[in-house]
Amino acid sequence: MRINDSEFGEVIVRKNSLAKNIKFSVSTSGRLQMSVPTYTSSFLAKRFLNSNREMIRAKLPLKNPGEQRARDYQKKILMKKAREYLPYRLEYLAKLYGYEYDKCRLSHANTRWGSCSSNRTISLNIGLMKVPEELRDYVILHELAHLNHMNHSRDFWAEVGRHDKNYKLHERRLKGFSPGL
């Protein structure tokens, strides 16, 4: 459930069967988040929010609702671009170098550009749409190499190097960007 509040913007309300009372926190997106017992109605959640405004202002580092909307809009645009580009680029590079993966997933992690799971799912961060194409390709090739080496061993880096001769430079340059918004 979500509550639109004039002061706090969109408030995320999570019903929790283990919760005995209402707790406030800040979500990773900077929004106010409420954890409430399962039986709590939206009316009660709004009433509790209104009666605790001063405590929320004093104790929680909330972002401006306008900043939240701008960030949401930027994320929406990046997701659209990523959907149109990343799965197809992954498929192209996988076929070019003889890799087989089961699934491509797009994410928006704040700390990772990509990952490869043991069930052969490659996750790519939509933030890759903000970096130059050669750095995107480096991340994709890095994750594809994890299909054969689920570590960062010497063999893993040798495989990355076979497909990207400048991988060390690309890795250094990528550190100048942030995967988060």
Side-chain angles (χ1 to χ4, degrees):
M1 166 177 24
R2 297 181 190 273
I3 298 172
N4 286 312
D5 184 79
S6 59
E7 180 180 358
F8 300 126
E10 188 178 60
V11 179
I12 301 165
V13 181
R14 297 189 186 275
K15 293 196 173 193
N16 182 343
S17 60
L18 301 175
K20 291 184 172 53
N21 47 33
I22 297 176
K23 293 181 183 173
F24 293 99
S25 62
V26 179
S27 73
T28 56
S29 67
R31 286 183 176 75
L32 180 62
Q33 186 171 280
M34 294 174 69
S35 179
V36 301
T38 308
Y39 58 82
T40 306
S41 67
S42 61
F43 173 78
L44 281 175
K46 287 177 189 176
R47 194 166 96 183
F48 198 78
L49 174 67
N50 286 327
S51 65
N52 285 279
R53 285 183 183 280
E54 285 185 39
M55 181 277 297
I56 294 167
R57 278 187 225 115
K59 292 189 175 181
L60 296 175
L62 295 171
K63 292 183 180 175
N64 179 320
E67 289 175 23
Q68 290 174 8
R69 284 189 290 280
R71 186 177 180 279
D72 288 346
Y73 181 71
Q74 185 181 17
K75 184 177 174 183
K76 187 176 182 180
I77 289 172
L78 279 177
M79 183 58 87
K80 184 178 186 302
K81 287 180 179 178
R83 273 194 197 114
E84 293 170 356
Y85 180 84
L86 291 174
Y88 302 101
R89 190 63 179 170
L90 173 64
E91 183 179 354
Y92 170 78
L93 290 172
K95 284 183 180 173
L96 181 66
Y97 294 113
Y99 290 101
E100 289 184 25
Y101 61 95
D102 289 341
K103 189 172 156 190
C104 173
R105 188 172 128 335
L106 299 178
S107 73
H108 187 246
N110 283 326
T111 58
R112 292 177 172 237
W113 289 108
S115 65
C116 177
S117 71
S118 57
N119 65 357
R120 307 183 72 75
T121 296
I122 293 185
S123 297
L124 298 171
N125 191 314
I126 64 173
L128 285 168
M129 299 311 297
K130 301 184 301 182
V131 303
E133 186 172 5
E134 67 270 12
L135 300 183
R136 278 184 229 149
D137 284 353
Y138 160 71
V139 170
I140 292 170
L141 290 169
H142 180 110
E143 300 311 331
L144 286 169
H146 277 308
L147 292 168
N148 294 332
H149 308 279
M150 292 300 284
N151 54 39
H152 289 111
S153 64
R154 191 174 288 151
D155 291 339
F156 166 82
W157 288 113
E159 188 165 332
V160 172
R162 280 195 296 278
H163 307 311
D164 181 356
K165 302 292 182 218
N166 296 315
Y167 78 91
K168 289 180 182 178
L169 171 66
H170 293 151
E171 186 177 27
R172 276 194 309 274
R173 285 188 56 212
L174 194 60
K175 290 179 195 264
F177 296 90
S178 170
L181 290 181

